[in-house]
Amino acid sequence: MGRVNALAPTGPPDPLADFRALRTPEGTELLAGLRSYDPATELATATRLRRTHPAALVSAALGQARLRQRAVAKFGAEDAHRMFFTPNGVEQATRTSVAGYRARRFTDAGVRGVADLCCGIGGDAIALARAGISVLAVDRDPLTAEVARANAAALGLDALIEVRCADVTEIDTSPYDAVFVDPARRGGRGRIFDPEAYSPPLSWATEAALKAPVAALKIAPGVPHEAIGPQAEAEWISDGGDVKEAVLWFGEGFEAGSFRATLLPSGATLSAPAVLPAPPVGPVGRYLYEPDGAVIRAHLVAGIVERCHGRLFDEMIAYVTSDELYDSPYTAGYEITDQLPFNTKRLKALLREREVGVLTVKKRGSGVEPEELRRKMKLQGPNAATVFLTRVANVPTMLIGRPVTGPEAALR
């Protein structure tokens, strides 16, 4: 311990200088050797490396190696281990699948040049450049801009990406076909939910978008619909079933005032030209359909209800029920076998009787924790079941069923 402390960095930290040191031949070699290191052995690794490398460089390399490992989930191993990151950059960057999809929408609109405002570490700029679009990537933080510049070079895209450290509100975007704005939605206290507290505010971003022939604004998926202006096409995007973001699209080729849900990786898209009327409410039928989160966020559940000739069983719960079998990329389907008032003892007895050893717990409108419920059930047996903890006509209810899979789930 004494030796590590003795070799610890001295003086005030200089993140920009530390980052630049990582791009020297010594830093590059050091990072390459840390590709598969185990963070659990960090103390021993740091002690070993500090015998032959400056302590500040070792500290920066270990931090970057950890960030690269985290970034694999968003960027894939091949890109993540060539790129550079900041802690906020990893957290806020768009995953490659979503950025690539958005870049395709830009190219479909005929866009050849984009001003990427609030570019972060460059995830969206990379996707745009790979789609053949030239990009001006702007961020006001010097370290973040330096990281974005390094990423463009590391991936061989620096001929298409110009990185500029500047205040985005001072950028002239008129030379570009399109504007993309990704305002900061985190502050010192965590996530920011008020769109006018974004940096820059949503109102400024919307004004900038309306000046461009084509524009896209990335916003939090939980944004209130009333905060979305009538000039935008609002799109919610999920990837692998998880809602990742919402985007407001402006300009020719986009339908102002419409709402859209897009599911990746399939690319299936459900849309409506305006807010849909409230769906009917009625009793639980033979089937339950769980809409994808993007469909729920886009307020398009009523479209699912219409397609499956169904209804809601509670006006405040986004579960759809129908007596008809329906298959759709926008929902997961279940056949309901039992409907019971909420009672853990009754559920435990039913699961024991049916020899259920694997229980999937889903909930909407219930405060019960799924893991806690599973522990109480003391599951044992060869069979599987799904239980929905929800409300039916505002009454706490348990619905037991099984997924609808196989050829019998043909579209109707």
Side-chain angles (χ1 to χ4, degrees):
M1 287 293 293
R3 183 162 189 171
V4 172
N5 291 334
L7 291 170
T10 59
D14 187 346
L16 194 54
D18 290 343
F19 174 71
R20 287 172 177 164
L22 289 175
R23 301 192 68 203
T24 64
E26 182 181 10
T28 300
E29 181 182 358
L30 191 56
L31 269 177
L34 290 171
R35 174 165 178 155
S36 58
Y37 106 101
D38 182 357
T41 67
E42 181 164 326
L43 181 59
T45 302
T47 302
R48 173 176 56 82
L49 293 176
R50 285 171 176 173
R51 296 189 186 112
T52 53
H53 300 281
L57 180 59
V58 171
S59 179
L62 288 169
Q64 192 61 225
R66 289 194 301 271
L67 293 174
R68 285 179 167 183
Q69 290 180 355
R70 286 173 55 192
V72 167
K74 287 188 174 182
F75 291 90
E78 183 178 351
D79 281 354
H81 287 289
R82 289 190 290 165
M83 293 172 66
F84 297 91
F85 302 94
T86 65
N88 285 341
V90 171
E91 183 71 27
Q92 298 177 19
T94 306
R95 66 174 52 219
T96 296
S97 55
V98 178
Y101 164 75
R102 189 165 47 239
R104 290 192 294 275
R105 290 209 77 186
F106 273 119
T107 57
D108 289 346
V111 170
R112 304 305 302 162
V114 172
D116 178 2
L117 308 181
C118 310
C119 69
I121 55 94
D124 284 286
I126 289 166
L128 291 165
R130 283 176 166 167
I133 297 172
S134 61
V135 185
L136 171 66
V138 184
D139 202 283
R140 69 180 180 181
D141 177 65
L143 175 59
T144 303
E146 187 87 358
V147 171
R149 191 174 293 113
N151 286 335
L155 299 179
L157 298 169
D158 41 348
L160 283 170
I161 301 174
E162 175 195 347
V163 179
R164 191 178 301 174
C165 183
D167 187 327
V168 297
T169 63
E170 299 174 358
I171 296 297
D172 177 14
T173 61
S174 60
Y176 298 88
D177 306 7
V179 168
F180 172 63
V181 189
D182 182 5
R185 296 179 299 281
R186 285 184 178 271
R189 297 184 178 180
R191 291 181 181 175
I192 296 171
F193 297 97
D194 178 5
E196 285 306 297
Y198 292 173
S199 180
L202 181 59
S203 57
W204 179 91
T206 301
E207 184 179 346
L210 291 172
K211 294 176 182 176
V214 172
L217 311 182
K218 177 180 172 181
I219 57 176
V223 66
H225 278 223
E226 55 268 24
I228 299 171
Q231 310 98 326
E233 174 191 294
E235 179 178 32
W236 281 260
I237 303 171
S238 69
D239 189 10
D242 295 327
V243 182
K244 296 302 180 184
E245 64 180 57
V247 185
L248 305 183
W249 294 95
F250 301 81
E252 188 175 349
F254 303 102
E255 190 174 354
S258 68
F259 298 86
R260 174 188 296 255
T262 298
L263 283 57
L264 300 178
S266 70
T269 292
L270 183 68
S271 64
V275 176
L276 297 174
V281 179
V284 177
R286 180 176 177 182
Y287 299 102
L288 180 151
Y289 299 106
E290 181 182 25
D292 183 271
V295 173
I296 296 172
R297 293 286 194 178
H299 293 187
L300 296 175
V301 172
I304 299 297
V305 169
E306 182 179 3
R307 289 176 175 221
C308 72
H309 305 107
R311 56 200 174 268
L312 304 183
F313 48 71
D314 189 288
E315 62 181 359
M316 301 302 294
I317 304 294
Y319 284 138
V320 178
T321 188
S322 175
D323 299 310
E324 297 185 16
L325 190 59
Y326 168 73
D327 185 40
S328 162
Y330 309 110
T331 66
Y334 300 84
E335 183 177 13
I336 298 303
T337 57
D338 300 89
Q339 177 179 342
L340 306 169
F342 180 80
N343 184 299
T344 56
K345 289 184 178 179
R346 289 187 65 180
L347 178 62
K348 185 177 180 180
L350 185 147
L351 297 176
R352 184 188 301 116
E353 175 187 333
R354 296 185 183 172
E355 298 183 307
V356 172
V358 178
L359 181 67
T360 300
V361 181
K362 293 177 172 287
K363 67 169 191 171
R364 283 194 184 139
S366 172
V368 176
E369 290 299 325
E371 287 301 326
E372 180 182 350
L373 181 69
R374 263 191 292 266
R375 284 195 298 271
K376 289 181 178 178
M377 294 300 100
K378 301 186 184 303
L379 301 167
Q380 189 173 1
N383 299 320
T386 300
V387 60
F388 295 86
L389 307 178
T390 187
R391 297 195 307 268
V392 174
N394 207 32
V395 176
T397 302
M398 303 181 298
L399 302 175
I400 295 90
R402 51 179 173 260
V404 177
T405 58
E408 71 275 16
L411 179 62
R412 294 187 180 181

